[in-house]
Amino acid sequence: MGRSADHRSSKKTVQLDVRLREFVGYTLRRTSSIIQADLAQTLKPFDLRMLTFSALSLIINNPGLRQSQLADAMDVEHPNMVSLIDDLEARNLITRERSTSDRRAYAVCGTEAGKRLYEAAHKAVADHENRLLAGLNDDQRQQILGAMEMIQTAYKI
Amino acid sequence: MGRSADHRSSKKTVQLDVRLREFVGYTLRRTSSIIQADLAQTLKPFDLRMLTFSALSLIINNPGLRQSQLADAMDVEHPNMVSLIDDLEARNLITRERSTSDRRAYAVCGTEAGKRLYEAAHKAVADHENRLLAGLNDDQRQQILGAMEMIQTAYKI
DNA sequence: TATTGTTATACTCTATAACTATA
DNA sequence: TATAGTTATAGAGTATAACAATA
């Protein structure tokens, strides 16, 4: 499941080493891990993990994608995509159909049930974000997203 | 080892679903994962992982800590701290000595070799950060760190 | 009783190699 | 020969339960 969900627990936290906190890489990792744990709790009622939610979102919003395209978009190795898709298909949230033009490939689409679950989960995640970022205005949120985008593209060059 | 290191590879990336990218949680996770992979490469020559580097940094800069305090500071469960400490101790980078006041506890300290390795690794990580964040000025970096701090403290309340 | 450190264990995420069936 | 999907497998990272020694 990953990290413990209860980050609000009032354990007597040790506040020490300042040097590590200067690193954006370190701070980003810790923050991301905290958010991830909370997000997992948010998605639990829908029986979705972050990976299955991401896959569902991509499939619903881009119907007909191949698994390899999904894997690329999610930055997941192809073999690891299989069980994700298997899970969603077994629950009748998506369909896997052989492509007519290339019989090696599958075209993946969301079902009506998948779309309903996705919309509900999406709303829960959006609410979660708003709670989480209540202290930041739209401008600040955009700055964060912009900075992350900049770092990501810096890596792709 | 985690994620593939070569994020600069020019795979034909699929740019699709815009909805996911609106989520700070999602974007943060992806960015953090990319940075982490690169950081792992940076630490490899020192035979350190992000977790062992973090532990070493905390130990060197706060000598005499107990393992439980380290685990708290690193947000790691106590059982998972053991192998980290074992690794560093086996390489003579740190010492584990029974506390005189509480014979259940260990006081952990860095050795001279540990300090040398840490300083070299710290410099490499700092250089890595500067390369990574070359597109951001000091003000923008501080804003990111501030926003992360705000999110983290929001969770602790 | 509670806490420090430990062992054992399990689950998720990720990476690689090798297979199959198509192209 | 190359590609799409699959299987099998291995290694990090992280979580919980239960134990011995000490408080």
Side-chain angles (χ1 to χ4, degrees), chain B residues 1 39-56 83-84 86-93 114 116-118 120-122 124-125:
Chain B
M1 171 175 303
L39 218 39
Q41 292 302 113
T42 300
L43 288 171
K44 209 170 215 175
F46 305 97
D47 204 3
L48 291 170
R49 291 166 295 145
M50 196 54 201
L51 279 173
T52 46
F53 173 69
S54 301
L56 191 57
S83 64
L84 290 180
D86 280 349
D87 176 35
L88 295 174
E89 192 191 24
R91 292 162 63 192
N92 293 313
L93 300 173
R116 281 195 299 273
L117 185 72
Y118 164 66
H122 183 95
V125 172

Side-chain angles (χ1 to χ4, degrees), chain A residues 90-142:
Chain A
R91 293 162 61 192
N92 292 314
L93 300 173
I94 63 167
T95 58
R96 207 175 349 193
E97 283 177 28
R98 282 285 179 201
S99 164
T100 48
S101 55
D102 185 343
R103 302 217 7 241
R104 291 172 303 182
Y106 284 116
V108 187
C109 293
T111 64
E112 284 309 312
K115 286 173 195 168
R116 281 194 301 273
L117 185 72
Y118 164 66
E119 287 301 338
H122 184 94
K123 185 176 178 328
V125 172
D127 289 349
H128 170 267
E129 283 257 323
N130 287 330
R131 261 178 289 135
L132 172 67
L133 304 176
L136 301 171
N137 61 37
D138 278 355
D139 215 48
Q140 291 170 307
R141 297 187 196 190
Q142 280 312 118

Side-chain angles (χ1 to χ4, degrees), chain A residues 21-131:
Chain A
R21 288 174 191 274
E22 293 166 8
F23 291 132
V24 171
Y26 178 77
T27 304
L28 226 57
R29 176 187 155 106
R30 284 178 64 93
T31 311
S32 163
S33 144
I34 290 172
I35 295 177
Q36 230 50 46
D38 214 60
L39 218 40
Q41 291 303 113
T42 300
L43 288 171
K44 209 171 215 173
F46 305 97
D47 204 3
L48 291 170
R49 291 167 293 144
M50 196 53 202
L51 279 172
T52 46
F53 172 69
S54 301
L56 191 57
S57 173
L58 280 161
I59 293 166
I60 302 282
N61 290 296
N62 307 278
L65 279 185
R66 296 173 173 207
Q67 289 185 201
S68 56
Q69 292 175 307
L70 270 173
D72 268 11
M74 290 179 63
D75 232 331
V76 158
E77 295 301 318
H78 305 177
N80 298 324
M81 203 68 224
V82 179
S83 65
L84 290 179
I85 299 288
D86 279 349
D87 176 35
L88 295 174
E89 190 190 27
R91 293 162 61 192
N92 292 314
L93 300 173
I94 63 167
T95 58
R96 207 175 349 193
E97 283 177 28
R98 282 285 179 201
S99 164
T100 48
S101 55
D102 185 343
R103 302 217 7 241
R104 291 172 303 182
Y106 284 116
V108 187
C109 293
T111 64
E112 284 309 312
K115 286 173 195 168
R116 281 194 301 273
L117 185 72
Y118 164 66
E119 287 301 338
H122 184 94
K123 185 176 178 328
V125 172
D127 289 349
H128 170 267
E129 283 257 323
N130 287 330
R131 261 178 289 135

